[in-house]
């Protein structure tokens, strides 16, 4: 008898891993609450080790992938003006979507008043990080040493170096072509590595979820139910509606197809709570499933994971409104504008790693004179919200990527519309030129 059953798709396997992990976490929590053995060897042993290995291997791919893929992309650009146009459009869209996100968040926060009547007192104090000056942010984009930029995982610096390197390759004539060919091959190898790693993802996701849900303090959610739900609703609204409207009006592409194809990347972002660690999956999704050319995706995705964080900005908007209400402080129109500006800038300056949005919130609160102790109020529920907002962050990166790619004629519409595109990585063309 031959086995004609279709192999289960990666998405299905990851969903199974995620649900099984969550259930296991809850089961352990209720059945083995005080069990030292389970705690030491299963939760902090097996789950912790398995989950961290998975995250480490995703992170391991980020620098080589961003560098090689971006060198490939830029070296195949015909002229530098294309790059300037591409960069300009991308940044404008990233900043604009973030401003829309935070405006939406402040509006929702004002309408639903999640903090009104909350009789919560602050438990600890925080120090706000100083916002770096714009000049410093720009200077910091340029590496003095590309190797240390890579070693330290400074994505913006790696992007700048890769772009310059790519431009030099395309300007270097025949030797440049030889090097470009090497990078093209390297790119294929690295994408293969991404595909290999995706195979262990269901297990990795299982371990991460099981560990997290064994220890997740869910009682905080009940105390902060209104904040939690207003924020989640705003994140969903932005993730599902704003991007759909944008995509439809700028490209005419189907938002349903787009969202459907984002599911793997969204799940990775959710499980890791890190846009940065999700870069390999987002990039794979953009190129193989959504049909974006490597020229565009290799630039916009890592850039987006570093500077475009709509979900984070939404959290900051709702949190600001919540804290102001909880402490009975009225915000003026000017304050709202300040929040929009600061949160937009703050999201540009933050790396896509877990929990960092909460640290940046201190900067925003500081700007409008709100007590930083407010952060303590929302900390208890932040982990789960971090997962949701990271999923929104990378959805935003991908939506803008599609829009920019379409406008540059770098989107393969047949591939975008083909529901099976990229499902079976064996068949996929990954070449960057
Ligand atoms: N975890 C988020 C990300 O990686 C950033 C944050 O809001 O904390 O995109």
């Amino acid at each position: 008898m031959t086995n004609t059953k279709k192999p289960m798709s990666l998405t299905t396997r990851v969903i199974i891993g995620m649900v099984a992990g969550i259930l296991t976490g809850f089961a352990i929590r209720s059945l083995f609450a005080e069990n030292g053995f389970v705690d030491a060897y299963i939760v902090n042993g097996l789950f912790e080790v398995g989950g961290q290995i998975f995250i480490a291997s995703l992170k391991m791919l980020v620098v080589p992938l961003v560098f090689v893929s971006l060198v490939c992309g830029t070296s195949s650009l015909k002229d530098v003006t294309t790059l300037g146009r591409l960069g300009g459009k991308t940044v404008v869209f990233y900043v604009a979507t973030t401003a829309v996100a935070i405006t939406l968040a402040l509006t929702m926060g004002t309408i639903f008043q999640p903090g009104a009547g909350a009789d919560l007192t602050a438990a600890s104090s925080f120090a706000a990080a100083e916002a770096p000056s714009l000049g410093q942010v720009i200077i910091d984009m340029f590496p003095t040493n590309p190797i240390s930029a890579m070693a330290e995982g400074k994505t913006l610096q790696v992007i700048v170096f890769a772009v310059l390197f790519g431009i030099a390759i395309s300007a270097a004539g025949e030797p440049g072509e030889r090097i470009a060919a090497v990078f093209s091959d390297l790119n294929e190898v690295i994408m293969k590595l991404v595909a290999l790693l995706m195979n262990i993802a269901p297990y990795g996701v299982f371990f991460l979820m099981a560990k997290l849900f064994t220890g997740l303090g869910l009682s905080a959610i009940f105390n902060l139910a209104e904040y939690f739900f207003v924020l989640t609703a705003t994140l969903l609204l932005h993730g599902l509606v704003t991007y759909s409207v944008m995509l439809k009006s700028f490209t005419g592409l189907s938002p349903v197809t787009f969202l459907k194809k984002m599911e793997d990347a969204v799940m990775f972002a959710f499980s890791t709570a890190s846009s940065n660690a999700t870069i390999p999956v987002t990039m794979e999704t953009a190129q193989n499933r959504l049909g974006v050319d490597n020229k565009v995706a290799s630039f916009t995705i890592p850039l987006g994971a570093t500077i475009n964080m709509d979900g984070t900005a939404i959290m900051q908007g709702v949190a600001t409104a919540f804290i102001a209400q909880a402490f009975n402080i009225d915000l003026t129109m000017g304050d709202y504008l300040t929040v929009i500006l600061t949160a937009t800038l703050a999201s540009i300056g933050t790396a896509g790693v877990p929990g960092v949005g909460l640290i940046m919130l201190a900067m925003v609160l500081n700007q409008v004179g709100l007590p930083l102790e407010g952060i303590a109020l929302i900390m208890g529920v932040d982990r789960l919200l971090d997962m949701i907002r990271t999923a929104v962050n990378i959805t935003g990166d991908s939506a803008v990527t599609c829009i920019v790619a379409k406008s540059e004629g770098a989107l393969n519409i047949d591939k975008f519309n083909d529901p099976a595109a990229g499902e079976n990585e064996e068949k996929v063309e990954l070449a960057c030129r």
Side-chain angles (χ1 to χ4, degrees):
M1 207 176 78
T2 51
N3 188 358
T4 49
K5 246 176 63 191
K6 242 178 80 190
M8 227 188 259
S9 74
L10 174 74
T11 311
T12 317
R13 284 184 291 136
V14 173
I15 291 179
I16 294 175
M18 186 179 275
V19 174
I22 293 174
L23 295 178
T24 310
F26 277 131
I28 290 185
R29 194 189 164 86
S30 41
L31 300 176
F32 303 101
E34 300 291 313
N35 189 316
F37 178 84
V38 172
D39 211 41
Y41 294 102
I42 308 284
V43 180
N44 291 310
L46 182 67
F47 295 169
E48 169 76 3
V49 172
Q52 290 311 315
I53 289 178
F54 174 58
I55 298 231
S57 30
L58 274 175
K59 284 195 189 152
M60 166 186 86
L61 292 178
V62 172
V63 169
L65 176 67
V66 169
F67 181 64
V68 171
S69 179
L70 198 48
V71 168
C72 255
T74 31
S75 65
S76 64
L77 287 175
K78 293 286 167 292
D79 63 316
V80 185
T81 48
T82 316
L83 193 69
R85 202 178 54 230
L86 192 73
K89 268 190 224 172
T90 309
V91 171
V92 166
F93 267 105
Y94 279 161
V95 173
T97 50
T98 307
V100 170
I102 173 122
T103 310
L104 187 69
L106 288 174
T107 311
M108 293 284 279
T110 313
I111 295 176
F112 292 102
Q113 302 269 325
D119 193 18
L120 301 163
T121 41
S124 62
S125 36
F126 291 84
E130 272 299 306
S133 70
L134 187 61
Q136 195 55 45
V137 170
I138 296 174
I139 294 171
D140 286 345
M141 283 167 55
F142 291 83
T144 47
N145 177 345
I147 305 296
S148 83
M150 288 182 196
E152 287 164 28
K154 297 198 164 150
T155 316
L156 279 182
Q157 297 193 350
V158 175
I159 290 177
V160 168
F161 181 65
V163 166
L164 293 176
F165 200 76
I167 293 174
I169 287 180
S170 71
E174 216 182 287
E177 276 168 28
R178 286 198 295 271
I179 296 290
V182 172
F183 270 91
S184 179
D185 287 353
L186 260 182
N187 194 46
E188 295 231 20
V189 173
I190 290 188
M191 286 303 255
K192 192 80 218 164
L193 199 54
V194 174
L196 283 178
L197 201 89
M198 305 267 258
N199 284 323
I200 64 152
Y203 308 99
V205 168
F206 170 83
F207 290 135
L208 285 176
M209 293 296 104
K211 164 95 184 12
L212 185 69
F213 279 83
T214 308
L216 202 64
L218 289 178
S219 55
I221 291 181
F222 295 108
N223 295 334
L224 292 169
E226 273 187 78
Y227 168 73
F228 187 88
F229 289 117
V230 172
L231 179 46
T232 307
T234 315
L235 288 169
L236 289 177
L237 194 66
H238 192 68
L240 300 175
V241 181
T242 312
Y243 296 142
S244 297
V245 171
M246 251 174 58
L247 199 71
K248 190 81 199 160
S249 37
F250 284 103
T251 65
L253 295 168
S254 156
V256 177
T257 310
F258 168 77
L259 291 171
K260 183 104 205 8
K261 292 192 166 197
M262 284 303 298
E263 56 197 5
D264 286 347
V266 160
M267 272 185 297
F268 273 69
F270 183 83
S271 327
T272 59
S274 166
S275 316
N276 213 43
T278 311
I279 289 175
V281 190
T282 323
M283 205 117 112
E284 208 263 349
T285 302
Q287 292 183 46
N288 295 341
R289 306 213 62 200
L290 298 168
V292 179
D293 199 292
N294 167 273
K295 280 201 274 300
V296 174
S298 67
F299 176 69
T300 56
I301 297 292
L303 186 69
T306 318
I307 70 164
N308 183 47
M309 304 205 178
D310 296 356
T312 304
I314 287 175
M315 178 278 280
Q316 292 176 343
V318 175
T320 307
F322 171 79
I323 291 167
Q325 289 151 9
F327 285 90
N328 284 318
I329 298 169
D330 282 332
L331 293 180
T332 62
M333 205 54 207
D335 289 335
Y336 281 118
L337 290 178
T338 309
V339 173
I340 295 177
L341 197 72
T342 331
T344 307
L345 291 177
S347 83
I348 295 177
T350 318
V353 289
V356 84
L358 207 61
I359 298 167
M360 284 165 23
L361 177 62
M363 219 157 80
V364 179
L365 296 180
N366 222 17
Q367 285 296 318
V368 286
L370 286 175
L372 300 187
E373 283 76 8
I375 295 177
L377 302 181
I378 53 179
M379 217 172 205
V381 287
D382 196 63
R383 175 64 205 191
L384 205 53
L385 291 167
D386 192 6
M387 295 157 76
I388 307 174
R389 70 176 179 257
T390 307
V392 173
N393 288 347
I394 61 113
T395 308
D397 302 341
S398 307
V400 170
T401 295
C402 286
I403 294 173
V404 172
K406 175 87 187 334
S407 77
E408 289 287 318
L411 186 102
N412 181 336
I413 298 187
D414 290 338
K415 204 184 226 184
F416 183 95
N417 288 328
D418 174 6
E423 289 235 298
N424 179 1
E425 64 272 355
E426 302 302 325
K427 283 191 272 163
V428 177
E429 244 322 298
L430 294 162
C432 70
R433 49 190 47 243

